[in-house]
Amino acid sequence: MPSRRRILIAAATLIASSAGAPLAWRLATDRAGAIRRMILAHVPETRIDAGAIEAFAADFLAQRALLRNGVAIDRACELLGVGPTLPACVANSRYMQRIEEQIVDLFLRSTDIFEPARDASAPIRYVGFWDPYSRTCRNPFAEFDLPPG
Amino acid sequence: MEASSETGPVRGKASVPGRGDLSRRFQPMTSAVARIGTGSAYGPQRSRYDVVAVGSGFATSFFLWALLRQAGKPLRVLVLERGPLVAHDWQVRNRRNSPVEEASTYHHSADVPKTWRFNVGFGGGSNCWTGHVPRMLPSDFAMASKYGVGRDWPLGYDDLEPHYEMAEAVMDVSGPADRHPFPKRGPYPQPPHRLSVPDRILQQASPDRVFALPTVRARAATPTRGQCCANGVCGICPVDAKFTILNGMGELYTNARVELSCQAEAVAIETSAGRASAVVYEQAGREFAAQADLVVLGANGIFNPALMLRSGLSHPMLGRNLHEQGGFSARVYLDGVDNFQGSTYETALNYALYDGPHRRSHAACLIEHKNVSRLRPEYGRWRQVLDLDFLVEDLPDPRNRVEIAPGDRKPHVVFRGYSEYHHRGVAAAKAQIARIVQALPVERIEIDPAPRLTTAHLQGTTVMGNDPDESVVDRTLRHHRIRNLFVLGSGVFPSGPPAHPTLTICALSLWAAAHA
């Protein structure tokens, strides 16, 4: 008798493939592959250094036990890995869209794309997992040296 | 906090210069503190103090700070904190404010999706807050007389104004230099944070509506706090830039007159001849009673009423009217204008929907401009987005309440829902977003359909008022019947305006101490 989890996986895969799901995720256990597809849905692959996404995905999945505040990493991993949350995932694509945006956001902040002196024509390089708790004061946009207001 | 071989409550003492750094003196606690002492066959072991305070958050800390400054004689003070003293580096390392999950400390039943956010540990909510400190508006104190809804406060803005000034000085608040949405006499201690480009555009279009956000996230580093560098994880600031009791009032708790006893849960207030005589508390499985001339409750809007109910201090309003603001978020997609150039997490407050005749029919709303939020997922347009958070007031409803059950230490929090007044305010706010941001080049606006589960502002359960039949405490936060009992915090709020409550909590504590 197939497990409930396997039945859910199969059902969701069927639904997603038949519905032509607009989101670039696959309901399978290939978490790194799902992360890759999410990122490439928003960042052209030709602009990304080889191996950058894979390196990010590996660090992302390794960090999930720590990143509890602010970003639904655990939920993202649950959804990527499939499980009891699947029915809600299928029903609530806006939630998955938010997860996807957060992953793309994390990826971009983990690269050199926003470094001021960067050569815009060069591929985007992975420089390390963006973690504001351990690598502090790395906000690339905030400005502090102009008069207040 | 180290176990002691002395009898009596476990004490935490240190003598450090300046503001005092508790985190260097006490080890973070994640296990029960050993209680030393034999107890007594005739009841809890007793000790004697001038003041016994329950809780160590903003309310208690600002009250004691003022009380000790003005006391004409040395006072012996005991502070009972239910949670552990958690060092800042432990919080950052573990990505949480406390080993105690607040949801484990109470029972909850709600008819709508709802959570209550607070922190169990030394410093209370000062650990987990974001650090926004706007004042209330004068109208907020007179909702009934001005708009015919809700209750009037038994004091006015002018009564609190000097205490607002003092609280802002203690916390080194950064705020606008010239214009304010409320009357303010003196300048803020620190200059305002840098606004983002969208902030400036909206401010230029509506200079009487958009203001730099008053905040305790340091614009400039202080002796005990780092400069805010817009990490955007303010609940646990990794550079300790926001004011907390831990980094900002260590001097109070290292004062030789103040004994801090952590992991000590107050279980009852003893009364005799119409006065509070002692606080009974449990620590490491043993029971103690701290006798006091003055008892101060600063344990938040859930545990203050629960403690009073367990102590037989019943009142029709006690535990009733639990409320906090509700709210929602919206994302404004911009055409050609980048965001995120501000110097802190949220940079501006927008008062476009706050005060006015509309409050006769629907709730006021305060809008926060976010400077650190997730990128727009569109190549090359990553920063062309403005996220807004909307805080919408609610009218207190007696059906929303805190109760206790015999034999159960945990209070029961019941929430039936937000008022129709609040829901009309939410609808009105959503309908006006486009008008509010029309000075910006807006492509589209997405409103998050999910309401906020909490704004982390517990209010209303020990309401203040002039009528002893309709309120628990008087205008000086003194219990109407038990005159040596002060009940502090936002539980005394008769109404819940959109303004963040912390600065008002602190100002009320200073006001109460001046009348103690």
Side-chain angles (χ1 to χ4, degrees), chain B residues 388-411:
Chain B
L388 303 173
D389 280 342
F390 295 76
L391 290 174
V392 184
E393 71 182 328
D394 191 21
L395 288 180
D397 184 337
R399 297 177 306 156
N400 299 329
R401 61 196 186 273
V402 175
E403 299 176 328
I404 60 169
D408 188 352
R409 181 74 59 80
K410 290 185 182 180

Side-chain angles (χ1 to χ4, degrees), chain B residues 99-155:
Chain B
V100 180
E101 294 284 352
E102 69 266 28
S104 69
T105 62
Y106 64 100
H107 303 296
H108 189 214
S109 61
D111 293 347
V112 298
K114 187 80 183 88
T115 59
W116 301 98
R117 178 82 178 98
F118 52 92
N119 182 63
V120 181
F122 175 78
S126 74
N127 293 287
C128 60
W129 75 319
T130 307
H132 297 165
V133 286
R135 300 181 180 186
M136 286 169 50
L137 301 187
S139 297
D140 294 336
F141 294 84
M143 288 291 289
S145 53
K146 187 160 185 178
Y147 299 119
V149 297
R151 285 194 181 205
D152 284 353
W153 290 48
L155 66 157

Side-chain angles (χ1 to χ4, degrees), chain B residues 42 82 135 174 248 264 285 321 385 390 492:
Chain B
Y42 299 98
R82 173 185 181 152
R135 300 181 180 186
S174 157
N321 298 303
V385 66
F390 295 76
V492 305

Side-chain angles (χ1 to χ4, degrees), chain A residues 42 44 47 66-69 94 98 101 105 108-109 114 131-133 136-137 139 141-144 146 148, chain B residues 95 101 192 194 219 228-231 233 236 238 340-343 372-375 377 379 382-383 448-449:
Chain A
H42 302 278
R47 303 301 302 268
L66 285 179
L67 293 175
R68 296 180 57 176
N69 291 329
R94 177 180 172 80
R98 177 70 68 90
E101 290 180 3
D105 181 294
L108 291 172
R109 293 180 190 273
F114 300 121
D131 176 6
Y133 293 101
T136 60
C137 301
N139 186 325
F141 312 123
E143 298 179 23
F144 308 97
L146 295 181
Chain B
R95 314 294 167 92
E101 294 284 352
R194 191 174 192 276
R219 178 75 161 86
C228 177
C229 54
N231 284 305
V233 286
I236 307 170
F340 307 152
Q341 307 92 345
S343 59
V372 180
S373 58
R374 74 185 187 282
L375 300 169
Y379 194 87
W382 314 115
R383 301 164 59 188
D448 191 340

Side-chain angles (χ1 to χ4, degrees), chain B residues 434-472:
Chain B
R435 177 183 65 80
I436 293 166
V437 299
Q438 64 181 353
L440 293 169
V442 177
E443 286 185 356
R444 68 183 189 277
I445 300 170
E446 289 181 356
I447 300 175
D448 191 340
R452 290 178 68 163
L453 293 177
T454 182
T455 52
H457 301 153
L458 287 161
Q459 299 169 174
T461 51
T462 52
V463 66
M464 63 193 300
N466 292 323
D467 185 348
D469 292 334
E470 296 291 329
S471 54
V472 177

